[in-house]
Amino acid sequence: MKKLFILAAISAAMGVSTLAALDTAKIDQITGLKGKMNEKEGVYKVTFPRGDVKVVVDGWSMPPFMGLGTWAAFTATKDGAMVMGDTVLFEDEVNAAMNAALDNGLSVTALHNHFFFDRPKVFFMHIEGEGPLEKLASAVKKTYDTTKAIRGPDLKPAESFSVVGQTSLPDKNSITAAPLNEIFGTQGESKDGMVKFTIGRPAKMHGVTIDKDMGVNTWAAFAGSDDNAVVDGDFAVTEDELQPVLKSLLKNKINIVAIHQHMTHEEPRIMFFHYWGRGAAKDLANAVKGGILVGGLLKVSSPIP
């Protein structure tokens, strides 16, 4: 028995040693950053501070050391490597960086804030990926390069989604509900020229069934006019649905503004992401419906009464 235990320990140690053989020089070369190895964990981590933009939190100029550091950590796997990381972003960088991450094979697993009263607003985008080391390092580099491209011309983050020459939203809302009802295949809720659609999905928490009115829902609210509208809302998706639905909305120029959870111990686990879009109401509705179809949400929907 003792010999078997020793052999098992040696075998396990050899397995760990094999997996720990990361080509750290290649990571440095591809990302353009100098990393640091944690020998105990077998993790190689590259970091850089977001010191290019001055950030003030609660009236205090925050040094990057206090939580404004972008990082990506690599560990070896039997199929190559895994990367996990957190990317410090300003509002006008988020969707470009998310597109770059998703287009290059990474998953985006969260998008949220870490501070209150921060100027400019700072967001944190978490990433994860598995596969060949070179591909992962390249994906990380392309994600980081988006921030350099945006901040290069202007160190001051934009304060609006609006582009130069874009018409302001009308003061009075006048969305026509009928075309949107047809797109979503259900009757929306109308109020003061605005229209809102809510699609629930069944889940359980602590053995209790929860659905649309308990907060497990995808919704889209439209305001403005038919040809100059805004849509905002929330998607409730499973972990497997998250990446394809994000890609669908981004492809149709819908901005993602948050990714997080709303509950604990729910089954299945539900991820929520919030979004914002501008354009013609019918175009926005079709973009949102595209995400609903990709996620298969219509198949599990609870119709609005």
Side-chain angles (χ1 to χ4, degrees):
M1 180 65 71
K2 184 176 180 181
K3 288 182 178 180
L4 287 174
F5 178 79
I6 293 172
L7 286 172
I10 292 172
S11 177
M14 289 177 66
V16 171
S17 176
T18 301
L19 291 180
L22 285 171
D23 189 341
T24 58
K26 188 171 288 294
I27 295 174
D28 289 351
Q29 176 191 356
I30 295 173
T31 63
L33 300 169
K34 178 61 179 175
K36 184 177 181 180
M37 188 73 186
N38 181 326
E39 299 288 353
K40 182 179 179 180
E41 296 184 8
V43 172
Y44 190 70
K45 189 173 185 178
V46 295
T47 64
F48 73 90
R50 281 306 302 262
D52 52 333
V53 176
K54 180 182 177 181
V55 174
V56 176
V57 179
D58 198 20
W60 177 61
S61 293
M62 175 173 276
F65 179 79
M66 294 295 291
L68 297 173
T70 287
W71 60 269
F74 298 81
T75 191
T77 69
K78 60 183 178 61
D79 298 318
M82 171 185 283
V83 64
M84 295 181 67
D86 199 359
T87 314
V88 180
L89 299 167
F90 298 101
E91 289 171 290
D92 60 347
E93 300 170 350
V94 168
N95 285 276
M98 190 178 298
N99 263 311
L102 293 171
D103 287 348
N104 287 281
L106 298 177
S107 294
V108 177
T109 56
L111 172 66
H112 52 207
N113 63 298
H114 286 187
F115 310 109
F116 281 165
F117 307 112
D118 44 333
R119 301 290 185 273
K121 297 295 296 181
V122 188
F123 284 82
F124 295 77
M125 185 181 80
H126 296 257
I127 57 172
E128 183 272 338
E130 298 174 55
L133 179 65
E134 294 86 347
K135 183 177 180 180
L136 295 178
S138 177
V140 168
K141 174 69 160 55
K142 290 175 181 176
T143 301
Y144 293 171
D145 282 349
T146 62
T147 67
K148 296 177 182 177
I150 294 170
R151 286 284 70 81
D154 189 357
L155 289 180
K156 183 180 179 182
E159 297 181 354
S160 172
F161 282 122
S162 299
V163 297
V164 176
Q166 186 173 39
T167 305
S168 299
L169 289 168
D171 293 330
K172 185 177 181 180
N173 299 307
S174 58
I175 298 293
T176 304
L180 306 188
N181 291 339
E182 184 177 352
I183 290 171
F184 287 105
T186 188
Q187 186 76 27
E189 175 187 1
S190 295
K191 178 179 174 61
D192 300 329
M194 299 172 287
V195 183
K196 185 176 183 179
F197 299 85
T198 306
I199 300 171
R201 66 182 306 157
K204 286 186 178 292
M205 182 187 291
H206 306 300
V208 178
T209 297
I210 53 177
D211 207 315
K212 176 169 68 70
D213 285 341
M214 290 295 284
V216 192
N217 59 62
T218 291
W219 61 270
F222 298 81
S225 63
D226 293 339
D227 60 351
N228 183 16
V230 62
V231 64
D232 76 316
D234 197 0
F235 264 75
V237 295
T238 64
E239 291 172 289
D240 289 340
E241 295 164 355
L242 178 60
Q243 306 307 316
V245 179
L246 285 174
K247 291 178 182 178
S248 176
L249 266 69
L250 287 167
K251 178 182 177 182
N252 287 291
K253 310 302 181 185
I254 301 294
N255 295 289
I256 310 302
V257 299
I259 306 171
H260 51 211
Q261 83 284 344
H262 288 185
M263 301 166 287
T264 60
H265 303 292
E266 75 277 14
E267 298 177 0
R269 188 167 188 237
I270 304 294
M271 301 295 295
F272 293 82
F273 73 84
H274 301 257
Y275 62 91
W276 177 272
R278 284 285 306 273
K282 289 178 68 174
D283 292 341
L284 295 174
N286 278 312
V288 173
K289 183 180 179 181
I292 290 172
L293 291 173
V294 166
L297 296 174
L298 291 179
K299 297 177 182 178
V300 297
S301 65
S302 303
I304 297 173

